Structure formats: structure tokens, C-alpha cells
Amino acid sequence: MWAEKFKLNRQLVKAVAEAGFEVPKEIQLKTLTRITGGQDIIGIGPEGAGKTTTLVLATLNRFNHKADGVPGALILAPDQERVFDIVTQFERLNRNTSIRIVSLHNGTPVDQQMDDLADGADIVVATPDRARAIYLKLGLNLNKVKFLVVDDAHLIVKQGLQLPVVELANSIDKGQHIVFSEVLHDKLHKMIAPFMVNPATVEVDELPEETVATHPQMVYHVPNFGTKLNLLSLFMYDEELFTKTVVFANTKTTAETLYKSLENRLRKSVALLSPAFFEHNQVKDISEFKANDTLRVLIVANESVESIDLTEIPFILHFDLPLEKEVFITHIINTDPTAEDETLAITFATDIELDQVRKIEQATGQKMQSVELPEELVIEKTRKQKESEKVVKPTRVDPNKHIPGEAFHEKKPENAKTYNISANKKAKMNKKKNH
């Protein structure tokens, strides 16, 4: 089937059969032919969708003949572990013994990796920061690289490695670019926009057949922490709707920040679960919160509690997404689907948290309902946005003060600096001046 669907060389067709890949996955069906045709591709799919196998097959298929020892393909991955995973898949599927694969990462000294490159490399698999460092030392030759792959791009953005990716991509003279990610968002778009050429976006969404019984879920995609705070306040100030809400934050520090943000308005109706400081309004356990009619909002730090009974709580709100998806899932599991009073689970997620949303959806087998932000919500600007909007105040000029060199008569339009002289008239003036 691989030979029928794709223009793979014989060695690769044999390799995928021996590896047990009987049927191509959806992302391979939708991308491999386009990649072979030379198109820039953005492939979006969950973990396990087959993105790594796709990039390995696409890369190896470019080496139909004996390799020459000069990098022709550069593959960027977010960390050392992912570099090893990709190299392992290359070793599993590569049958062309002339191809030399070199990995660059922070686990090996730079000098040793530069020696490895000097001995010859056809495919380089690297973390962006280490690849850039060796490139700047003139140890990585990008002159013949015609194939650039950015794998797990969402994690590269999360780690703040956008700059080395863009610099490396811009150092490659006319090549094909492939980007694989679990999610696509503004920060990722901003990273790849400088080097992607009319890319085709291919998205696959393979949810498992088995589903976990959960409360109905809604997700609000917000730009930053400040906007999260504003959205939380907007919701919690609605006393009629949000009668009892448990708000989860990842750390005690964030939990206390939320408490202070709400305390001015909610006063004694907001509390912290077992806070670090006694001056905060607090409860020792969730049962105390449920029994106290004056309390409407309970803020819980995930790091300070292992399990919590959320039955009969109308609203469960995740201000942060826990690093472990299992923690999140324990909060939203519906232990009594027949209950009349349904609980609603609400999640706030920024760009860099969307991959966690995707992992939760894969684990539960259910998509969260994406909801538009309220019109009355105040969107906070980031520090970079505020800095870019700063303008230099104009110098105040005294109209009665004489400016040296200023003429006492009105200038002709031709002599005024704001007057745009046509190219044709300029040519005639120059001709007259020269003759």
C-alpha cells in the first residue's frame, strides 16, 4: 500500500514493511505526497499521530543516491530527548548505509559535535540553540541544506527558542520547510511566518474510541495572564450565576495572586484552601467551603492538595492547566452522570497551554467546547506591546522664536521638502543642470 500511495524509493517501501507499518496514518496520507512535490507544509496532529515517521520518511526519500557528506537536511527538535527519538526512528527506517546522521544537543561537548560534522554529515538532527551555536562557530555548513523540518514546534515556542529557529531558517538559501506541531497558535505563526512560503496546513484529530465520563467542558483561549485575571473577575463578580466555584491554580503564589485580585470586591465570600499565610480568609477542607453559605469562591493550589471532593460544586474553573493531565482529569470526572444539578468545567488557556488542552482531549476522548471571549472583557497588553506603543513626545516649539537660517519669504513648491517631484521632472532638471 505504501508503494501505491506514495513515490517512495524501494528501500523505504521495504523498510516500512519490515517495521510493521502496514497502513499509512492519516497525517502521512495527507502530507507525504505534498512534501514529495516540494510544497511547504504545516502538519498539526496529536501525539502518536505519526508525525515523526512522516518527517523521517520524507527526509530519507530525498537521498535516492549515494550521499556526499554535506548536510542536505536539517531537523530541529525542542530538546535532547526528542533528538534521540528522531535519530532512533531514522536508524529504524534507513537502509542507505551511505547516509550519515549527526545529532547536535546539549548532552555532548560542542567540540566533539563539531568534529562529528567535520567527518561528514548528510542529515543533522539538532536542538535549535545548539545548532545555532555551532553554526556561528562555522562548524555547521548550511550551504547545501534544501530541506528544513521543525518538529514539535509548539514545544520549541514554549521553551522560547523561536529566535534560533528563525535565524537558522533565514540562513538557508531557498529550501523546503516542514513544520509539525500538536497545536497551531499566534506565537507559532509568528515564528514560522518569516520563512514559510505559501504553506499548506494539514490537521488531523484522532480521538480514541473510548471516552471518559466528564462534566461538560468549556475552554476560553486568552492571550496572557493579565487577561485571565480580568476574565476570572468578570465571572466571579456575577453573584447570581457563579454561586459556588472552585478555582484551581498550579502554585500557591498564583493562588494568592488570584485571592488578592478578587478580595477587594468579593470580601469574605472568597477563600483559600489551606493557605501559607494566616491573614487570608481560609478553609481547612472542601466540606467547610460547601457548608458555608457566605463563601462563593474557593481557590486551590494544585501543589498543596492531592485529592479533593468536587461533588455538588456547580462550577470547576482551571485558571492554570496542571502539568500532569491526570491531575486535571481527576477534577472533571463525572461520578454521577444521572445527577440533576450538572457541574460545568471551565478552562482558561493561553497559546502555550493549548498543547495541554489537546493532550487532555486525547486522554478523555472528548473535545472541549471553545467559547468566544465576552465582549466586555478587558484584554491586557503584554509588556512588548506596551513598549512598542511608546512614542517620543514632540519637542515644544515657541512660534515667536526665530529659527536661524529660516527664509522670510514663502518657498516655491519645488524647493519645499514636502513636495514630491516626479521622476520625469527630476530627469529634465538634471539634464538642464548638466548642459
Side-chain angles (χ1 to χ4, degrees):
M1 187 171 183
W2 288 89
E4 298 169 0
K5 291 285 183 183
F6 314 109
K7 294 179 180 179
L8 299 180
N9 62 54
R10 292 180 180 179
Q11 288 180 325
L12 280 180
V13 173
K14 184 179 179 181
V16 292
E18 291 176 354
F21 300 143
E22 297 179 2
V23 180
K25 291 195 173 185
E26 185 181 359
I27 198 163
Q28 290 147 8
L29 290 169
K30 291 183 175 181
T31 61
L32 271 175
T33 301
R34 290 181 173 184
I35 295 173
T36 304
Q39 187 175 13
D40 280 13
I41 297 292
I42 302 172
I44 309 298
E47 185 179 358
K51 300 188 293 295
T52 301
T53 301
T54 304
L55 76 85
V56 169
L57 290 174
T59 307
L60 290 174
N61 202 46
R62 299 178 70 89
F63 294 87
N64 292 322
H65 307 288
K66 186 176 180 180
D68 58 8
V70 179
L74 174 62
I75 298 167
L76 301 176
D79 51 44
Q80 180 178 316
E81 183 181 354
R82 283 297 297 138
V83 168
F84 289 160
D85 290 343
I86 294 169
V87 170
T88 299
Q89 194 70 328
F90 267 112
E91 292 171 347
R92 185 182 184 189
L93 297 175
N94 182 30
R95 296 292 182 273
N96 187 343
T97 55
S98 70
I99 295 176
R100 192 162 188 272
I101 302 167
V102 171
S103 60
L104 308 177
H105 49 77
N106 295 331
T108 305
V110 170
D111 291 343
Q112 182 180 329
Q113 292 175 347
M114 290 181 70
D115 290 341
D116 292 339
L117 289 169
D119 291 338
D122 304 291
I123 299 170
V124 176
V125 185
T127 57
D129 50 348
R130 179 53 64 92
R132 176 179 178 270
I134 294 179
Y135 173 71
L136 293 176
K137 287 177 175 288
L138 305 181
L140 176 59
N141 184 358
L142 300 179
N143 292 336
K144 289 191 176 182
V145 172
K146 300 297 180 185
F147 193 63
L148 172 67
V149 181
V150 182
D151 193 29
D152 281 334
H154 60 290
L155 296 180
I156 287 177
V157 171
K158 184 176 283 190
Q159 293 176 17
L161 295 172
Q162 299 98 311
L163 182 59
V165 171
V166 175
E167 288 184 353
L168 290 166
N170 289 337
S171 300
I172 296 172
D173 183 29
K174 291 184 181 179
Q176 185 181 5
H177 309 95
I178 311 299
V179 173
F180 284 117
S181 178
E182 289 188 12
V183 290
L184 187 60
H185 48 62
D186 290 342
K187 288 186 177 180
L188 180 52
H189 266 302
K190 199 172 291 184
M191 179 181 76
I192 64 178
F195 58 86
M196 296 294 279
V197 181
N198 298 323
T201 301
V202 176
E203 186 166 2
V204 299
D205 197 3
E206 301 175 354
L207 290 174
E209 293 182 3
E210 294 185 6
T211 60
V212 177
T214 67
H215 298 300
Q217 298 182 70
M218 298 168 62
V219 59
Y220 288 85
H221 182 192
V222 294
N224 48 48
F225 182 89
T227 306
K228 276 188 179 185
L229 275 179
N230 293 344
L231 185 57
L232 178 66
S233 299
L234 186 65
F235 285 169
M236 295 305 100
Y237 292 169
D238 188 340
E239 298 181 8
E240 294 183 3
L241 179 61
F242 291 91
T243 52
K244 284 279 185 183
T245 305
V246 173
V247 180
F248 287 98
N250 280 346
T251 65
K252 291 181 179 179
T253 301
T254 304
E256 288 171 11
T257 300
L258 305 188
Y259 176 84
K260 291 174 182 177
S261 176
L262 295 174
E263 184 188 25
N264 290 336
R265 179 81 173 262
L266 300 184
R267 301 295 179 184
K268 294 297 183 180
S269 63
V270 58
L272 279 164
L273 180 66
S274 303
F277 302 102
F278 291 104
E279 63 265 24
H280 298 322
N281 193 25
Q282 59 180 293
V283 296
K284 294 180 180 179
D285 55 52
I286 187 74
S287 59
E288 186 179 342
F289 171 69
K290 292 178 181 179
N292 191 333
D293 292 337
T294 62
L295 292 175
R296 290 180 42 238
V297 182
L298 178 63
I299 302 172
V300 180
N302 286 318
E303 66 180 9
S304 63
V305 62
E306 292 184 0
S307 62
I308 186 169
D309 179 14
L310 295 170
T311 55
E312 300 178 358
I313 298 293
F315 295 96
I316 300 169
L317 193 151
H318 286 88
F319 186 89
D320 294 323
L321 278 120
L323 297 178
E324 301 296 331
K325 61 180 181 292
E326 291 76 15
V327 174
F328 182 99
I329 294 171
T330 58
H331 296 164
I332 62 169
I333 286 179
N334 189 354
T335 56
D336 186 10
T338 61
E340 294 183 3
D341 298 328
E342 184 59 271
T343 296
L344 180 64
I346 299 172
T347 300
F348 296 170
T350 59
D351 280 354
I352 60 175
E353 292 174 309
L354 289 179
D355 61 318
Q356 292 163 267
V357 171
R358 174 65 69 97
K359 284 180 170 60
I360 292 165
E361 291 174 338
Q362 289 295 310
T364 61
Q366 300 177 44
K367 297 283 287 184
M368 295 186 191
Q369 181 187 353
S370 182
V371 186
E372 294 291 330
L373 298 176
E375 291 183 4
E376 61 270 32
L377 175 66
V378 176
I379 306 296
E380 291 291 337
K381 296 177 181 177
T382 62
R383 185 169 58 184
K384 285 185 178 180
Q385 288 173 322
K386 291 177 181 177
E387 289 176 353
S388 65
E389 291 177 1
K390 288 182 180 179
V391 294
V392 179
K393 293 183 179 180
T395 305
R396 189 171 182 179
V397 179
D398 185 352
N400 298 319
K401 185 178 180 181
H402 172 67
I403 302 174
E406 185 178 23
F408 291 99
H409 59 274
E410 188 176 24
K411 291 183 179 180
K412 292 181 180 180
E414 291 88 348
N415 296 328
K417 291 183 179 180
T418 57
Y419 183 82
N420 293 322
I421 302 172
S422 69
N424 186 38
K425 187 165 184 178
K426 281 185 178 179
K428 288 180 179 179
M429 289 169 65
N430 289 333
K431 186 176 181 182
K432 186 176 180 180
K433 181 180 178 181
N434 294 332
H435 297 282

